[in-house]
Amino acid sequence: MANREALRELQTRLASRLQAARTEGVSISWLAVKAGESNYLFPLALSGEIFPLATVQVVPYSRPWFLGVVNLRGGLYGVVDLASFVGEGLARHRSEQALSESSLVTFNAALEVNCALMVDSLSGLRNREAFSSVEPAPDGSPVYFGNRYRDLGGTDWQEINLRSLSQFSQFLSISA
């Protein structure tokens, strides 16, 4: 129960910071998340809401990275394990505690995809000034990979182009 309260508190802080950024004109560009062993950046303009991981109804005969469907605010959303999807469909096994700390990040409604990406943890909001270097995605990267950033602490972050991901044929095909 403490984990859910901590997640709600983080969501409230993020919502407050987003509102402050809108009113004060502060430029915040990304939602930073961790999925598996990697760090990712979701463009805020294309990100939707953040939810604690709810009970997911399993869909038979689907890909290992497609966890199932969940009801979020009365809407039905497919749930994709981001780390498994990016890791070529390898299913991950997690402890109950790790699952209880996971979050769902929906796509912006403008993308017209009822989908939520399951991430292991939220790392806050980032703007361009938080990074010391930027380079294009490595050769052979998936089409939905954007630039690769390194923060001031030396940590690497991979931007995920949510628009490209939402139109990627393998992402849209959940059946195995």
Side-chain angles (χ1 to χ4, degrees):
M1 206 54 152
N3 288 335
R4 286 194 185 273
E5 291 173 16
L7 178 60
R8 284 190 188 108
E9 184 178 312
L10 175 62
Q11 289 172 322
T12 302
R13 283 195 318 255
L14 287 174
S16 304
R17 286 183 60 195
L18 280 171
Q19 184 59 37
R22 285 187 191 110
T23 58
E24 297 170 13
V26 176
S27 173
I28 296 178
S29 301
W30 298 282
L31 172 65
V33 301
K34 184 171 178 77
E37 298 300 316
S38 300
N39 299 305
Y40 297 102
L41 298 170
F42 297 157
L44 280 181
L46 299 175
S47 300
E49 293 184 77
I50 300 168
F51 295 91
L53 182 62
T55 302
V56 177
Q57 298 299 313
V58 176
V59 174
Y61 309 110
S62 60
R63 301 203 186 252
W65 46 262
F66 187 76
L67 300 178
V69 294
V70 66
N71 181 342
L72 301 173
R73 293 191 194 270
L76 194 60
Y77 288 77
V79 178
V80 171
D81 179 351
L82 179 62
S84 293
F85 179 78
V86 172
E88 301 176 13
L90 302 174
R92 297 187 301 153
H93 299 286
R94 290 191 212 86
S95 68
E96 286 297 318
Q97 178 172 348
L99 282 172
S100 70
E101 295 171 2
S102 297
S103 298
L104 299 175
V105 179
T106 63
F107 285 71
N108 187 297
L111 295 176
E112 298 180 344
V113 176
N114 278 12
C115 184
L117 298 173
M118 186 183 79
V119 298
D120 295 323
S121 63
L122 302 169
S123 299
L125 301 173
R126 300 288 192 279
N127 58 23
R128 181 62 185 98
E129 291 76 33
F131 300 101
S132 60
S133 68
V134 59
E135 58 189 45
D139 289 338
S141 295
V143 296
Y144 51 86
F145 271 19
N147 289 328
R148 191 158 182 80
Y149 294 87
R150 177 162 287 156
D151 67 18
L152 301 173
T155 303
D156 290 324
W157 295 85
Q158 178 62 58
E159 182 179 29
I160 300 286
N161 182 324
L162 295 176
R163 182 178 309 282
S164 293
L165 180 60
S166 72
Q167 297 169 356
F168 187 54
S169 62
Q170 290 177 336
F171 183 77
L172 296 172
S173 175
I174 63 163
S175 59

